Amino acid sequence: MAYPKSVWFIICTEFCERFSYYGLRTVLVLYLTSILQYDEDESTIIYHMAVFMAYFSPLFGAILSDSFLGKFKTIVYLSLIYAVGNLVITGSSLAVSFSLSNQRYLALLGLVLIAIGTGGIKPCVSSFGGDQFDLPAQEVYLQKFFSIFYFSINAGSLISTSVTPELRKGVQCFGRTSCFPLAFGVPAVLMLIAIFIFVCGKRLYKIKKPESNVIVTSFSCIYHAIKRRLSYVSSNSKKSHWLNYADDKFSEKEILDIRGALDVMYLFIPFPFFWALFDQQGSRWTLQATLMNGRINFLNWTMKPDQMQVMNPLLVLLFIPVFETVVYPLLAKIGIKKPLQKISLGGFLAAVAFVLSAVVQNKIIGESIQLSDGEGHLRVFNGFDCNITINSTNLPVYKLSSLETLEIRYTPTSNETSFPIVFIADPSCSPNLSTLNLTSSVSIVEGKATSYFLTRLKDNLELKRIGYFDDLAKPKNGSPVLRILNSDDLSHKVLTLKDTDNNNTVTEINLKSLTTNTVPIGKYKAFLDNEFISDLNLLPASVNTLVLQRNSGHTDSKLVVLEKGNFIHIAWQLPQIIVMTAAEIMFSITSLEFAFTQAPTSMKSLLAAVNLLTVAFGNLMVVIVSEVRYFENQAYEYLLFAGLMVLDMLIFILMSCKYKYKNLNDAVPVTHNEQTKQN
């Protein structure tokens, strides 16, 4: 029998749809932070809620397909919703004249529509492709179809994760340093092409009418059994299994099949923890990559932070034959050969990957300045373009040069020590100063850093204390901290930071008060209104103070770097990505194969839907942890996930000890391939 031509329309459709989905998902978290101005915790929450909805909606897509519309109509209708969602989120990035809140509403609406669309068609496309074959006569062709189908998923993912970051950053539009309309627009066009290709094949498709839905039947059976069991609480008539109480309405085979499915679903309970870790490659790990140096000198090219996600599908394609021919035979020699054993090992590898990500994060953040026991730290920022002499009975004599900063460690006699200091300005300081001397009191607190700004108040010297304590903590995400110290005569101005490469405005800071800001890493030109002030190079996890003061009719500036930070290469992420991909091979593929082979024939679609739900709930866990915002350092959050993953796998091992494998000859191997790239 000839190979069904109709399946090529389905394979091309899947390639375009996966390109669209992964293309949007690759750049999504950066769109949320840079354009919609959500903070990194909020962006992580939105990202994972979108993924949650995308993997929760397949349950309803399966019901809609099997009970009402059939696969073909379900795919077409939900694909149209999907395409509208793509167009809406593209429109949100184009709506530069809209208010920020309206842009956000549009983007969130687009994400909801995309989640409904991609999730709804997920359980239908591959099974619709399987419907095109005459079984068992074309079983060999069916196996080839799933292999090609799986390849199309990874090809779409691989190409889109490479291309869309280039579209985002390689092109500037609407006065911005990036072009998200193009990065979202191309996936939107691919989704429209996917619908066109799919509809073009209609005359060749074998379209089956919807039948009773096994998911609805299963839930009905479970509900009926529980209801009858509760009514028999006081009765002496007991069944061998609680599900058998549904035998008045459901057949023995239906009950046995559901029991078999529940045995497998019981082992799914720990699975969400794995997906909680795995799907952070597109959120937390991408944000981590924004703090790293992607320059590859010998190629004269800079890798974009979101392009690191391309390593996962690439490594998946490379690792699968390696694991089949080398890794699994070696593991078999040490007794690791059963599916549940491989799944456990994959979970432990995911924990190792997050330990590695914590190491990288800690290397980016670096260590904060530590004070010895009993010490206090005093800083004095000189805002003048001349020398200042500092005299005190408690300190040696210091001479501060133009715009220099005094930093001393001092051991106070008590928890807080205050003493007077005399500041003497050089006569060349400014002809507008009525007096060149100032006596003021400073405080030094044990274990704390206190800072003062030597500036002018009208025509007099003034010493401003900067806050109560000068605790410039590094943000948990490792972004640079920029504090502005300015004289009062500049308080009506706005400091503008423009990207050095393209002169586009990145941020604007009002100087009405002493402000501390978190800004993206990069090289900037700083302007006060239209006056060029200084070049700034802000590195990850650096703590910087920009001193601005009007002296003799011009504005002086000095960037004081209190902590340098670290700008490590993006290649430092490779070990964690490699280990996580190895974990995916062992956990994801093996769990799908286990679910397929252990499920009764009538329950395979139910098990596939429940397996997708574990991805949804895993992303929900990330949302909960991100919402709590407990950790001051992102590395500690990574270690928390690693610890939970280890505990989760230990529980899984205990749960799986009593499981008895079933030999089901009616399974069709390799169909798990279609869902392997479910993330």
Side-chain angles (χ1 to χ4, degrees):
M1 297 179 68
Y3 197 90
K5 295 180 181 179
S6 58
V7 300
W8 296 109
F9 289 90
I10 298 170
I11 288 170
C12 290
T13 298
E14 183 66 9
F15 170 83
C16 294
E17 188 275 328
R18 289 291 88 184
F19 184 105
S20 177
Y21 177 73
Y22 284 106
L24 180 140
R25 186 168 143 173
T26 298
V27 300
L28 176 59
V29 75
L30 299 183
Y31 177 63
L32 295 171
T33 53
S34 61
I35 304 300
L36 299 186
Q37 298 178 27
Y38 288 106
D39 66 36
E40 297 199 353
D41 283 324
E42 291 170 336
S43 299
T44 299
I45 289 169
I46 294 170
Y47 176 92
H48 287 283
M49 279 304 298
V51 178
F52 168 80
M53 289 187 293
Y55 285 94
F56 193 82
S57 55
L59 189 65
F60 302 102
I63 295 172
L64 189 65
S65 169
D66 292 349
S67 299
F68 301 101
L69 298 178
K71 296 183 180 69
F72 177 79
K73 288 184 178 179
T74 300
I75 293 171
V76 172
Y77 294 160
L78 292 182
S79 292
L80 289 172
I81 293 175
Y82 191 163
V84 170
N86 272 306
L87 294 174
V88 169
I89 197 168
T90 303
S92 75
S93 64
L94 283 167
V96 291
S97 61
F98 281 32
S99 66
L100 178 61
S101 59
N102 287 335
Q103 273 191 291
R104 288 179 170 183
Y105 292 144
L106 268 181
L108 295 178
L109 174 61
L111 290 177
V112 170
L113 294 175
I114 289 169
I116 293 171
T118 186
I121 68 175
K122 191 179 292 292
C124 303
V125 179
S126 61
S127 57
F128 185 66
D131 289 344
Q132 308 309 306
F133 295 87
D134 292 324
L135 299 178
Q138 292 186 314
E139 184 174 336
V140 175
Y141 288 160
L142 177 65
Q143 294 178 7
K144 289 182 180 179
F145 163 73
F146 280 114
S147 296
I148 298 171
F149 190 84
Y150 175 56
F151 180 85
S152 71
I153 292 173
N154 282 275
S157 171
L158 183 66
I159 296 172
S160 64
T161 51
S162 303
V163 171
T164 49
E166 288 293 338
L167 298 176
R168 173 190 66 83
K169 190 63 176 176
V171 180
Q172 284 80 46
C173 58
F174 299 102
R176 291 170 172 165
T177 60
S178 58
C179 193
F180 281 98
L182 186 61
F184 289 146
V186 170
V189 170
L190 262 292
M191 192 59 219
L192 293 172
I193 293 174
I195 298 171
F196 176 76
I197 292 173
F198 184 74
V199 173
C200 284
K202 182 179 180 180
R203 64 184 180 84
L204 300 175
Y205 296 143
K206 294 178 182 177
I207 300 176
K208 297 180 179 180
K209 293 182 179 180
E211 301 173 356
S212 61
N213 189 288
V214 68
I215 297 176
V216 175
T217 301
S218 299
F219 281 117
S220 298
C221 180
I222 293 170
Y223 171 76
H224 186 66
I226 294 174
K227 183 179 179 181
R228 289 197 72 210
R229 175 67 182 87
L230 293 176
S231 66
Y232 277 81
V233 170
S234 59
S235 173
N236 293 326
S237 175
K238 292 186 177 180
K239 305 284 187 179
S240 59
H241 190 276
W242 64 269
L243 205 56
N244 290 338
Y245 284 93
D247 58 5
D248 66 320
K249 188 176 180 180
F250 296 88
S251 68
E252 182 180 358
K253 184 182 184 304
E254 287 176 325
I255 293 173
L256 287 175
D257 284 353
I258 295 172
R259 284 179 59 178
L262 289 177
D263 288 341
V264 178
M265 289 165 57
Y266 169 71
L267 295 176
F268 282 176
I269 294 174
F271 282 17
F273 281 94
F274 174 82
W275 297 113
L277 274 65
F278 183 84
D279 277 338
Q280 288 188 62
Q281 291 181 95
S283 57
R284 291 297 196 194
W285 285 12
T286 297
L287 294 172
Q288 183 186 70
T290 63
L291 304 174
M292 305 174 79
N293 180 10
R295 187 66 182 172
I296 301 175
N297 291 324
F298 70 91
L299 294 176
N300 193 29
W301 174 69
T302 300
M303 175 171 273
K304 314 302 184 292
D306 34 358
Q307 280 180 320
M308 283 301 286
Q309 295 179 58
V310 78
M311 298 304 299
N312 177 256
L314 179 62
L315 289 171
V316 166
L317 295 176
L318 294 175
F319 277 11
I320 286 178
V322 173
F323 270 72
E324 293 293 339
T325 58
V326 179
V327 176
Y328 286 150
L330 290 176
L331 290 176
K333 291 182 178 180
I334 60 174
I336 300 177
K337 58 180 70 174
K338 295 182 178 180
L340 296 179
Q341 292 174 322
K342 295 176 183 177
I343 292 171
S344 301
L345 183 55
F348 287 125
L349 285 176
V352 172
F354 261 63
V355 171
L356 292 174
S357 68
V359 172
V360 171
Q361 188 74 14
N362 196 57
K363 190 171 182 64
I364 293 171
I365 298 294
E367 297 294 332
S368 298
I369 297 174
Q370 300 295 322
L371 296 177
S372 302
D373 291 341
E375 275 190 341
H377 202 160
L378 174 66
R379 296 191 187 103
V380 178
F381 295 89
N382 178 16
F384 292 96
D385 59 347
C386 58
N387 297 334
I388 301 290
T389 302
I390 297 178
N391 286 325
S392 174
T393 56
N394 297 69
L395 300 172
V397 175
Y398 291 96
K399 287 194 175 182
L400 282 181
S401 301
S402 172
L403 301 171
E404 188 181 359
T405 300
L406 170 69
E407 295 193 55
I408 62 172
R409 294 172 184 256
Y410 182 83
T411 304
T413 56
S414 60
N415 182 52
E416 181 173 359
T417 299
S418 298
F419 51 86
I421 291 182
V422 178
F423 298 91
I424 304 173
D426 188 270
S428 64
C429 261
S430 174
N432 297 323
L433 285 176
S434 61
T435 176
L436 298 176
N437 295 339
L438 171 67
T439 300
S440 184
S441 179
V442 299
S443 296
I444 300 181
V445 180
E446 181 181 345
K448 301 288 185 179
T450 52
S451 290
Y452 295 86
F453 179 33
L454 187 62
T455 180
R456 67 153 53 86
L457 180 62
K458 296 182 179 179
D459 58 349
N460 295 314
L461 285 171
E462 182 188 22
L463 188 68
K464 287 184 178 180
R465 181 166 178 170
I466 307 168
Y468 189 67
F469 292 122
D470 190 18
D471 293 330
L472 293 180
K474 298 181 179 181
K476 62 180 288 188
N477 56 16
S479 295
V481 173
L482 179 64
R483 177 175 60 185
I484 312 297
L485 303 182
N486 58 275
S487 53
D488 289 343
D489 48 6
L490 296 177
S491 60
H492 64 285
K493 293 183 177 290
V494 174
L495 178 72
T496 302
L497 300 184
K498 295 187 176 182
D499 190 285
T500 300
D501 295 332
N502 48 44
N503 207 39
N504 287 325
T505 298
V506 174
T507 187
E508 294 182 342
I509 302 170
N510 196 304
L511 302 185
K512 286 184 178 179
S513 59
L514 299 179
T515 58
T516 301
N517 308 271
T518 300
V519 296
I521 65 170
K523 295 181 179 180
Y524 301 100
K525 291 185 179 296
F527 294 84
L528 274 182
D529 295 339
N530 294 320
E531 178 188 3
F532 172 72
I533 297 299
S534 176
D535 289 307
L536 307 178
N537 184 15
L538 304 180
L539 296 179
S542 61
V543 178
N544 311 272
T545 297
L546 179 62
V547 179
L548 301 172
Q549 181 156 299
R550 293 290 292 179
N551 292 307
S552 301
H554 65 277
T555 303
D556 287 309
S557 67
K558 177 68 176 292
L559 182 69
V560 181
V561 181
L562 302 178
E563 294 189 38
K564 294 182 179 179
N566 297 297
F567 197 38
I568 64 176
H569 199 272
I570 203 168
W572 276 88
Q573 277 199 329
L574 283 176
Q576 67 201 53
I577 294 173
I578 291 171
V579 174
M580 183 59 81
T581 305
E584 177 191 4
I585 299 296
M586 301 196 72
F587 190 100
S588 178
I589 295 180
T590 308
S591 64
L592 289 164
E593 181 179 2
F594 169 77
F596 191 87
T597 58
Q598 298 300 293
T601 303
S602 63
M603 295 288 111
K604 295 188 188 298
S605 61
L606 173 63
L607 266 294
V610 174
N611 205 12
L612 291 172
L613 286 179
T614 66
V615 183
F617 287 114
N619 281 270
L620 189 59
M621 290 179 182
V622 181
V623 170
I624 294 170
V625 173
S626 300
E627 183 65 33
V628 172
R629 306 188 187 199
Y630 179 76
F631 297 101
E632 295 182 358
N633 188 331
Q634 183 61 47
Y636 299 150
E637 186 176 299
Y638 290 147
L639 291 176
L640 170 67
F641 278 110
L644 290 175
M645 190 71 238
V646 171
L647 179 62
D648 183 60
M649 284 298 98
L650 292 175
I651 294 172
F652 176 73
I653 291 171
L654 293 175
M655 293 171 62
S656 61
C657 283
K658 295 182 180 180
Y659 184 80
K660 295 181 180 179
Y661 290 89
K662 304 175 182 66
N663 293 318
L664 299 176
N665 296 321
D666 56 357
V668 181
V670 310
T671 54
H672 68 274
N673 284 346
E674 167 274 316
Q675 294 182 55
T676 298
K677 203 64 189 171
Q678 62 179 321
N679 56 296

